[in-house]
Amino acid sequence: MQKEYTVTVYTEDRIGITNRITIIFTRRGINITSLTTAETEIPGVYKFVITVMSTREKLDKVVGQIERLIEIHRAFVHEEDEVVYQELALYKIATKNLTTAGDVEKLIRENNARILTITADYFVIEKTGHQQELTDFIKKLEPYGLIEYTKSGRVAIVKWSRRFHEHLKELDKSIASY
Amino acid sequence: MQQKDVLPMKPETEADKRLAAKPVITGSEAVIRSLIAEGVDTIFGYPGGAIMPIYDALYDFQDQVHHILVRHEQGATHAAQGYARSSGKVGVAFATSGPGATNLVTGLADAYMDSTPMVCITGQVAAALLGTDAFQETDVIGITMPITKWNIQVTRQEDIPGAIAKAFYIARSGRPGPVLVDITKNAQAGTCEFEYKKCEFIRSYQPVPELNPEAVTAAAALINSAKKPYIFCGHGVLLSGAENELIQLAEKAQIPVASTLLGLSAVPVDHPLYGGLLGMHGNYAPNMLTCECDLVIAVGMRFDDRVTGDVSTFVSQAKVIHIEIDAAEIDKIIKADVAIHADAKTALEALTQLVMPARHDAWLEEFKFGHEKEYDKVQKRELYPEEGQIKMAETVRLISEKTNGEAILVTDVGQHQMIASRYYRFKNPNTNITSGGMGTMGFSVPAAMGAKMGAPEKTVVAVVGDGCFQMTLQELGTIYQSQIGVKMVILNNNFLGMVRQWQQLFFDKRYSSTEMVNPDFIQIAKGFFIPGKKVTAREDLAAAIDEMLATDGAYLLEVVVEQEDNVFPMVPAGAPVSTIRLE
């Protein structure tokens, strides 16, 4: 059965690695709904967090093929309850609406958001959460006139990841690759 | 040819000593010196603008590295594949940027599908021009990402030795495969200190997994309790050099062995436990008995759809042990009851120690019954016809008899490939070279050329269809120029035979664009100064094969065969293996 999964991939820092990973999803006709990548605490090792709608069976095979790539350390498929995750959204609102549309300060506080910047023309609000919370917040901001909305991909911590990170630290001590 | 003296004058200062230890050379020379350090003595390639500095450097090393000038870059890749498969070494091909590089694509994909170790080096426009749509610029890294085990673009000359060392390590280790190294022109021309260190470690890559003793114990228990165990021998057996280990396991527990197309030649055809060829056009008994066995021991094979037919019914009644070096292949198509993620040789050695001697006489008899049925219904009239036009099978039988099963057989793709694979009686490992996964028409002539370069002491026979021959026949020029003594046999039915067979069986004989009006192949060979003969009568066939084998150097034999001959047995695509047809 298709549902949303989180795939995490630990890679070497190499040009083109994103392409190498994503074409494996493309071959099997799986649409990537979000992709986030950043360096881990181990120098030169990057972590990709990918969200997809697919089946577990298909993704287990995809992960096997990703792990076959030379610059990949490990790749994992996670069910929703195996990860703690957040996404970050930014909302831009016209400043002129602040005085006419209601109590925006209360709205921001109640939704655990915060104002990042205020100019004469617009102000930018930041909120983290799960996708549904972030899109629900759009509706709440609509009376103020939303100019622009943007959202990051998922950032996830795996609940059982301790052993793998110990493995990564061991790798860090080993001889650097080419 | 004198080698260029790259060393400085007599060392005096510390700087001089350092330079003496690490000579300053061009990136191009670093390429050649790196290849020599990896043991490369043969390169197949085609020069062009973006790789000219490398070719210039090669000029100084002609006494150490033999360059074979092919007529098309696709030929270079297939030749490198043939070389790798016959010699056990890494095949090497050179090409220039743009069209030269894109012409490598088919061979790279073929080598990737068939796990052939190959390193292709392409020239690239200067780094400053990258991404500007410069003359003959193409994103060969992007293009070849899905069809190489690894690829890299080098833009700095000092990175060349490291990149080549890594390329060879990756190409030949673990599950072998093709690697592409793209080198910009500025890196080829610039100078750097040269020091070569072979690559033996990449922190994100574990080519040979550690053997899991628990999995071996579990597998041995399954084998010891099986009534009808059955070994599937794949290409991985040959790649790991595990032929003897496989036979030892089979003999100890008296287990029949069937082979995949690329596993052919791992077990001698005349071995009493050899059961035949699996797959769409394989033998009747080994295919049918996949439905009867209670245990499959699949070694170094990937359950290709040409072997399994309908996956949902394939070996569904049996337990499965899968020995495989590539973790991604385990459970990909067929779920394994016991997976041994390991090199085949290591795994088989360990497994044989734990397996109890056994006999499965009744089970082995079932194979004999199937063989007799296939012989009566198909093979007898294919191998020993008394009238009508020459048959493909009888030609292969004669080649097999006259080479005593000891030639390296290189086949192209189509009916002749299946016939040759079915009827050549392989005696020695690595004597079957064919395009399995990709099914690349045009493979055999350049691959045979490479195979002969890789094993000059052996007779190399390419069996090729009339359609396939015309896809890469320009390599006759290479064969003539480099005096490569390869024997070529065209089985000419004036059709794209396999497509025609499918049209006959599944498209109501609507022969859409499969009939070929062919040229005079012997005249073409003569144009390349290669002797040859055309045979149309059965009584002339044996003598013509004798003449071909006795001729010193290359030879082209054209055999006009029955036009609408079909290859049976046959499992219709996607159907259960049990629906195999004998007619």
Side-chain angles (χ1 to χ4, degrees):
Chain A
M1 193 186 72
Q2 281 223 342
K3 60 179 184 175
E4 187 173 62
Y5 286 93
T6 304
V7 176
T8 55
V9 186
Y10 292 86
T11 80
E12 286 289 315
D13 176 17
R14 289 269 302 146
I15 290 173
I17 197 72
T18 308
N19 195 5
R20 286 174 207 276
I21 294 168
T22 56
I23 53 181
I24 292 171
F25 289 92
T26 308
R27 277 186 74 188
R28 287 189 179 260
I30 299 170
N31 191 26
I32 291 174
T33 48
S34 88
L35 187 154
T36 311
T37 181
E39 196 169 20
T40 64
E41 70 276 26
I42 313 297
V45 176
Y46 276 67
K47 178 180 174 181
F48 283 65
V49 180
I50 300 165
T51 56
V52 289
M53 288 292 290
S54 187
T55 63
R56 180 75 197 216
E57 188 191 6
K58 222 178 197 184
L59 284 176
D60 283 338
K61 290 173 184 176
V62 163
V63 156
Q65 287 176 306
I66 291 173
E67 285 196 329
R68 185 153 69 178
L69 299 174
I70 302 298
E71 283 101 357
I72 302 297
H73 288 284
R74 288 298 305 273
F76 305 95
V77 185
H78 312 287
E79 306 280 341
E80 175 151 1
D81 63 358
E82 290 176 332
V83 287
V84 176
Y85 64 90
Q86 289 284 277
E87 290 163 9
L88 182 150
L90 301 178
Y91 309 79
K92 190 159 99 179
I93 311 280
T95 305
K96 65 180 164 60
N97 296 336
L98 271 180
T99 51
T100 56
D103 191 351
V104 73
E105 190 190 338
K106 187 179 171 198
L107 183 68
I108 288 169
R109 208 180 312 114
E110 283 176 355
N111 286 278
N112 295 316
R114 64 178 181 138
I115 295 174
L116 289 184
T117 189
I118 301 177
T119 73
D121 295 331
Y122 62 85
F123 65 108
V124 176
I125 301 169
E126 175 211 289
K127 176 172 168 54
T128 57
H130 289 192
Q131 173 149 358
Q132 194 59 48
E133 293 174 63
L134 303 179
T135 48
D136 286 350
F137 196 48
I138 293 175
K139 291 194 187 86
K140 293 174 184 169
L141 288 171
E142 267 169 5
Y144 299 90
L146 183 70
I147 299 170
E148 191 182 341
Y149 161 76
T150 190
K151 185 181 80 66
S152 75
R154 179 173 292 184
V155 177
I157 288 278
V158 183
K159 292 176 184 172
W160 45 260
S161 61
R162 179 192 294 267
R163 274 182 60 197
F164 181 68
H165 279 263
E166 282 168 2
H167 166 70
L168 274 180
K169 283 177 189 166
E170 286 300 313
L171 280 177
D172 191 37
K173 291 177 197 162
S174 62
I175 307 160
S177 61
Y178 162 70
Chain B
M1 181 59 56
Q2 281 268 310
Q3 238 196 73
K4 196 154 80 178
D5 181 12
V6 294
L7 297 174
M9 303 286 283
K10 184 182 170 190
E12 288 174 353
T13 65
E14 282 305 309
D16 283 342
K17 284 179 190 167
R18 188 170 56 84
L19 283 172
K22 295 180 182 177
V24 175
I25 59 174
T26 63
S28 295
E29 194 173 328
V31 171
I32 308 300
R33 284 185 176 273
S34 301
L35 294 177
I36 291 170
E38 288 291 343
V40 174
D41 55 16
T42 306
I43 295 168
F44 303 91
Y46 204 101
I51 198 169
M52 276 176 64
I54 291 177
Y55 271 87
D56 184 61
L58 188 61
Y59 194 78
D60 292 327
F61 292 88
Q62 291 175 61
D63 57 339
Q64 288 170 271
V65 183
H66 191 184
H67 180 268
I68 306 295
L69 175 63
V70 295
R71 297 302 186 262
H72 188 285
E73 291 86 350
Q74 184 187 348
T77 54
H78 295 327
Q81 288 178 271
Y83 179 88
R85 299 264 287 273
S86 72
S87 70
K89 295 199 265 185
V90 178
V92 179
F94 279 1
T96 192
S97 63
T102 56
N103 282 345
L104 299 178
V105 166
T106 301
L108 283 166
D110 195 292
Y112 189 60
M113 290 287 273
D114 287 351
S115 309
T116 307
M118 177 164 77
V119 170
C120 291
I121 293 179
T122 47
Q124 182 55 279
V125 301
L129 291 172
L130 283 171
T132 67
D133 300 325
F135 177 67
Q136 290 194 332
E137 185 199 357
T138 235
D139 176 16
V140 67
I141 295 297
I143 289 170
T144 61
M145 258 180 204
I147 52 167
T148 50
K149 188 173 172 188
W150 186 69
N151 65 13
I152 187 169
Q153 186 170 67
V154 184
T155 56
R156 303 184 316 162
Q157 55 271 25
E158 55 267 35
D159 294 337
I160 287 173
I164 290 178
K166 201 168 166 184
F168 274 83
Y169 176 57
I170 292 168
R172 68 174 156 236
S173 59
R175 180 179 179 176
V179 169
L180 183 133
V181 182
D182 190 41
I183 307 175
T184 59
K185 206 166 176 182
N186 59 295
Q188 297 172 38
T191 56
C192 60
E193 290 183 351
F194 179 73
E195 184 184 31
Y196 197 77
K197 196 177 161 202
K198 282 201 175 187
C199 179
E200 290 169 348
F201 173 77
I202 297 169
R203 71 174 180 176
S204 57
Y205 173 56
Q206 190 190 0
V208 182
E210 279 178 35
L211 187 67
N212 177 353
E214 287 169 12
V216 178
T217 306
L222 282 181
I223 295 172
N224 289 336
S225 61
K227 299 280 184 290
K228 294 181 174 184
Y230 192 4
I231 295 173
F232 293 173
C233 167
H235 193 195
V237 172
L238 288 158
L239 288 168
S240 79
E243 304 88 4
N244 289 336
E245 288 73 12
L246 184 90
I247 291 169
Q248 279 164 16
L249 172 66
E251 287 178 348
K252 189 171 183 183
Q254 288 293 293
I255 305 172
V257 183
S259 176
T260 68
L261 181 64
L262 286 182
L264 279 175
S265 84
V267 179
V269 169
D270 59 5
H271 191 284
L273 291 170
Y274 181 67
L277 178 65
L278 288 166
M280 182 178 273
H281 290 289
N283 296 109
Y284 179 75
N287 273 309
M288 280 303 284
L289 293 176
T290 60
C291 311
E292 296 291 325
C293 63
D294 62 358
L295 175 68
V296 167
I297 307 143
V299 191
M301 58 91 74
R302 59 188 180 84
F303 294 102
D304 182 271
D305 56 278
R306 282 293 193 264
V307 164
T308 63
D310 177 9
V311 177
S312 67
T313 58
F314 188 71
V315 298
S316 52
Q317 80 291 347
K319 298 271 186 194
V320 175
I321 298 166
H322 195 178
I323 299 173
E324 172 58 50
I325 198 164
D326 181 355
E329 294 297 348
I330 294 169
D331 294 343
K332 189 179 87 174
I333 306 292
I334 298 291
K335 179 94 181 130
D337 294 281
V338 176
I340 305 180
H341 179 211
D343 172 69
K345 192 179 177 99
T346 313
L348 287 168
E349 270 172 355
L351 192 54
T352 305
Q353 284 181 12
L354 300 183
V355 165
M356 305 295 285
R359 297 193 67 86
H360 300 102
D361 296 340
W363 171 227
L364 288 165
E365 279 299 313
E366 290 192 47
F367 280 82
K368 281 184 191 160
F369 177 72
H371 290 322
E372 282 163 13
K373 190 170 177 182
E374 183 179 338
Y375 186 81
D376 287 343
K377 290 259 186 190
V378 180
Q379 294 187 2
K380 192 176 172 186
R381 62 182 164 82
E382 293 283 324
L383 292 167
Y384 301 99
E386 288 172 356
E387 55 187 24
Q389 282 190 280
I390 299 172
K391 290 269 193 186
M392 290 183 279
E394 67 178 313
T395 312
V396 171
R397 171 181 61 81
L398 281 167
I399 295 170
S400 186
E401 286 170 6
K402 289 177 183 297
T403 57
N404 198 25
E406 289 175 340
I408 293 177
L409 191 77
V410 186
T411 51
D412 226 293
V413 173
Q415 285 186 316
H416 68 277
Q417 176 191 32
M418 293 299 121
I419 291 286
S421 304
R422 285 169 50 78
Y423 295 117
Y424 194 81
R425 297 184 67 79
F426 298 97
K427 264 196 180 160
N428 303 313
N430 297 308
T431 52
N432 166 54
I433 298 176
T434 195
S435 170
M438 268 283 281
T440 303
M441 286 178 68
F443 174 83
S444 71
V445 170
M449 206 167 80
K452 183 69 182 170
M453 297 295 297
E457 74 289 355
K458 292 206 171 173
T459 299
V460 175
V461 180
V463 176
V464 54
D466 46 311
C468 296
F469 186 70
Q470 291 176 79
M471 285 200 172
T472 49
L473 66 78
Q474 70 276 10
E475 298 308 336
L476 293 180
T478 312
I479 290 168
Y480 170 64
Q481 180 173 348
S482 296
Q483 295 293 297
I484 305 169
V486 60
K487 316 297 180 190
M488 295 160 282
V489 182
I490 301 177
L491 299 182
N492 183 3
N493 56 13
N494 287 98
F495 265 116
L496 298 177
M498 190 58 93
V499 185
R500 187 211 55 74
Q501 177 172 338
W502 282 50
Q503 287 171 336
Q504 180 188 339
L505 298 176
F506 309 116
F507 291 88
D508 200 22
K509 289 194 175 182
R510 287 155 58 88
Y511 293 164
S512 179
S513 294
T514 41
E515 190 171 4
M516 299 205 95
V517 177
N518 284 323
D520 184 334
F521 293 121
I522 303 305
Q523 282 298 324
I524 287 174
K526 275 189 184 163
F528 288 99
F529 309 102
I530 292 171
K533 181 169 273 184
K534 181 175 182 174
V535 175
T536 54
R538 176 163 292 117
E539 57 268 29
D540 299 331
L541 183 58
I545 293 171
D546 284 336
E547 183 181 318
M548 173 182 80
L549 295 172
T551 301
D552 193 21
Y555 192 95
L556 180 72
L557 176 65
E558 179 188 352
V559 183
V560 178
V561 296
E562 185 179 323
Q563 267 211 307
E564 297 187 35
D565 198 3
N566 285 337
V567 188
F568 284 110
M570 179 180 190
V571 180
V577 173
S578 57
T579 63
I580 189 166
R581 297 170 55 168
L582 281 167
E583 52 197 352

